[in-house]
Amino acid sequence: MEGLLDHMLRDVLTRVGGIDRCVSEFIRITDMLLPRRVFTRIVPELLEGGRTPAGVPVRAQLLGSDPVCMAENAARLAELNPAGIDLNFGCPAKCVNRHRGGAVLLDEPELIAEIVGAVRRAIPADMPLSAKMRLGFMDQSRTLECALAMAESGAQELVIHARTKADGYKPPAFWDRIAPVREALAPSVGVVANGEIWTVEDARRCLKESGCDALMLGRGMVANPGLALAVRDAAGGQGLDWQALQPLMLQFWRQVQAHVQPKHQAGRLKQWLHYLRRQYPEAGEAYQRVRTLNAPAELERAYFAMTA
């Protein structure tokens, strides 16, 4: 979710409710020990007890392939007291995979075990360590092998995106392929299902097919900020209506103005509106109204004056 679900959107979405915890955008680890300011820039919640303003804990995510460097950076990150540390073995981006990060490592379970083990030894024993993976890189032949490598090396929880890197984000997600992993790891290691969960019905089907009792929401939560609340609602409510969402959008916009360079501010609001079109017809209308506007003041007048 790099470039989309950052600390500003985490703040707004966790204010809606229904979310137990968040995971940050990945922090890229290459060949150096990062200064603390890099961690706090990407995860400013570290300066607030590792929680969003709504009180939701945030695990900081690391991505890299060098076990020693990952461990050294994890140790420094742990000094900032995050709510936990997460390791990314799921990113499908070509630029990340080309530099031996993310999902490409799913072809190297031995290296995955080294990374997870090194990080586990480098951080406090009571600090939660989780990992995010896909079903595989180009195929699903090593799904269980990779999951076991993570679990046996010290990861206490796995989030599994139910597609391979080759599948990208194309529907469908193969939720049923998560079930064998959950069965193999239960009850000592928790397994969380992820991928293509846009609606309450998607969530229910995912839980049933995967056998999991927990979900991670990504793009579906961006498109429907009330989705987590609706999933928790036994009656299957649909969360926020358009008018109830507007104060949160204004709050998001104010944060964008405070933290993003002016030339990129309009793009951030339009990016969110693009996702919201999936759930709200009004977002489609608003997107068409502002899509050619790039000056922040002009966009603010065109959007917020019309929705007030």
Side-chain angles (χ1 to χ4, degrees), residues 185-202:
L185 300 186
S188 57
V189 174
V191 176
V192 179
N194 171 248
E196 208 63 20
I197 303 168
W198 298 95
T199 66
V200 172
E201 180 55 32
D202 290 338

Side-chain angles (χ1 to χ4, degrees), residues 159-183:
V159 176
I160 303 180
H161 183 103
R163 287 180 278 222
T164 65
K165 182 273 180 189
D167 294 328
Y169 291 100
K170 300 186 301 291
F174 303 98
W175 299 318
D176 60 310
R177 313 291 170 82
I178 299 174
V181 179
R182 188 201 64 79
E183 292 169 4

Side-chain angles (χ1 to χ4, degrees), residues 1-14 19 22-26 42 45 52 58 216-223 252 268 271-272 275:
M1 305 295 285
E2 184 188 22
L4 175 63
L5 228 170
D6 58 12
H7 67 94
M8 296 177 290
L9 206 48
R10 286 197 296 273
D11 180 356
V12 172
L13 294 180
T14 54
I19 302 172
C22 300
V23 176
S24 75
E25 299 173 283
F26 67 71
I42 297 174
E45 295 96 339
T52 70
V58 179
M216 174 174 278
L217 304 177
R219 294 174 300 151
M221 189 74 185
V222 178
F252 173 72
R268 289 306 309 276
Q271 180 189 43
W272 194 14
Y275 276 93

Side-chain angles (χ1 to χ4, degrees), residues 205-260:
R205 284 183 50 228
C206 179
L207 291 170
K208 181 178 180 181
E209 293 181 21
S210 68
C212 296
D213 57 10
L215 302 171
M216 174 174 278
L217 304 177
R219 294 174 300 151
M221 189 74 185
V222 178
N224 180 4
L227 181 57
L229 276 179
V231 170
R232 287 182 178 276
D233 183 353
Q238 291 303 307
L240 296 181
D241 63 26
W242 179 247
Q243 287 305 313
L245 178 60
Q246 297 318 299
L248 295 171
M249 295 196 71
L250 179 58
Q251 186 174 61
F252 173 72
W253 175 242
R254 295 296 180 230
Q255 291 204 46
V256 167
Q257 290 179 307
H259 298 291
V260 177

